Amino acid sequence: QVQLQESGPGLVKPSETLSLTCTVSGGSISVYYWSWLRQPPGKGLEWIGYIYKTGITNYNPSVKSRVTMSVDTSKNQFSLRLSSVTAADTAVYYCARGQGSMLDYWGQGTLVTVSS
Amino acid sequence: EIVLTQSPGTLSLSPGERATLSCRASQSVSSSYLAWYQQKPGQAPRLLIYVASSRATGIPDRFSGSGSGTDFTLTISRLEPEDFAVYYCQEYGTSPQYIFGQGTRLEIK
């Protein structure tokens, strides 16, 4: 059974960089595409981007200038960095596995609050 | 960029009733690229339906998906208490890769 777990600071100051890691267990990260998504409190879902084992990425234009994703296949982990954060970046952040057109496995999510 | 509009915003029904949720795309979408998710409070979304009409592993057969082109539907034949949640449709596109509708809240009447 594939499981994903997000980790990282729950509080980030405005203008700083948000950093999260997703650890994948029960399956290899060397297959499929791996995505980050977020959900502001009380709102809908927004896809941030994905990364493949080779380092190929695809980012949502809405955050493309501020996002960097990386992958560490030796640790079965992939990571998200979002720079110059503001209060609008406060959200629950999810990692998920992309299998073609669908996102079939999700982490439980982690709340990141942007506040001084 | 395709926009997905879900209706109604909130649907109030009783257990045992039939639920019909709509997802309309601003332009034609391949059925191969349309999925539905269920999200309960405090939980991550769960994949219900993929390629418009195929149930994901472990999803009860009271859930069904249909549609093509710009109009897609998620139907729950007989509502169980655990079905009351928020439902999202999702399209797999180009940029951005995954687009979601704004969600339909299914609440107990």
Side-chain angles (χ1 to χ4, degrees):
Chain A
Q1 175 77 349
V2 175
Q3 292 186 317
L4 294 82
Q5 178 68 57
E6 305 89 351
S7 59
L11 181 64
V12 181
K13 290 182 169 55
S15 79
E16 295 190 344
T17 296
L18 177 161
S19 295
L20 295 174
T21 295
C22 182
T23 301
V24 179
S25 59
S28 173
I29 202 170
S30 295
V31 186
Y32 306 111
Y33 288 75
W34 301 91
S35 280
W36 286 99
L37 303 97
R38 66 182 180 179
Q39 184 172 38
K43 297 188 178 180
L45 296 161
E46 180 185 33
W47 175 76
I48 299 171
Y50 72 56
I51 189 164
Y52 188 57
K53 63 174 181 177
T54 57
I56 290 174
T57 56
N58 185 359
Y59 300 143
N60 190 323
S62 68
V63 293
K64 187 174 183 177
S65 63
R66 300 191 291 129
V67 170
T68 304
M69 294 183 184
S70 58
V71 61
D72 186 337
T73 55
S74 67
K75 294 181 179 179
N76 240 29
Q77 294 178 333
F78 62 106
S79 298
L80 167 72
R81 287 173 59 85
L82 182 66
S83 63
S84 305
V85 297
T86 69
D89 295 308
T90 293
V92 175
Y93 285 76
Y94 295 100
C95 56
R97 187 179 86 169
Q99 181 172 192
S101 61
M102 60 188 177
L103 298 162
D104 59 353
Y105 287 96
W106 296 62
Q108 66 186 27
T110 187
L111 174 62
V112 178
T113 301
V114 178
S115 175
S116 55
Chain B
E1 178 181 329
I2 290 177
V3 176
L4 299 178
T5 301
Q6 294 186 239
S7 61
T10 301
L11 184 59
S12 299
L13 294 170
S14 301
E17 291 192 295
R18 180 184 185 90
T20 303
L21 287 67
S22 173
C23 176
R24 177 162 290 177
S26 58
Q27 55 187 281
S28 186
V29 171
S30 168
S31 297
S32 298
Y33 296 159
L34 199 288
W36 290 90
Y37 300 81
Q38 176 194 66
Q39 187 177 33
K40 296 180 180 179
Q43 296 185 17
R46 175 174 72 145
L47 176 68
L48 293 177
I49 301 288
Y50 62 99
V51 299
S53 60
S54 295
R55 277 186 299 277
T57 303
I59 301 303
D61 60 8
R62 64 180 181 273
F63 290 91
S64 62
S66 62
S68 63
T70 60
D71 292 300
F72 296 87
T73 300
L74 174 69
T75 302
I76 310 171
S77 59
R78 285 182 56 86
L79 286 166
E80 298 287 342
E82 62 268 27
D83 298 337
F84 291 90
V86 179
Y87 292 84
Y88 293 95
C89 60
Q90 170 250 304
E91 185 262 346
Y92 178 74
T94 52
S95 183
Q97 198 82 57
Y98 298 93
I99 296 172
F100 292 86
Q102 83 280 16
T104 289
R105 180 178 304 276
L106 178 57
E107 64 177 27
I108 299 177
K109 188 174 183 180

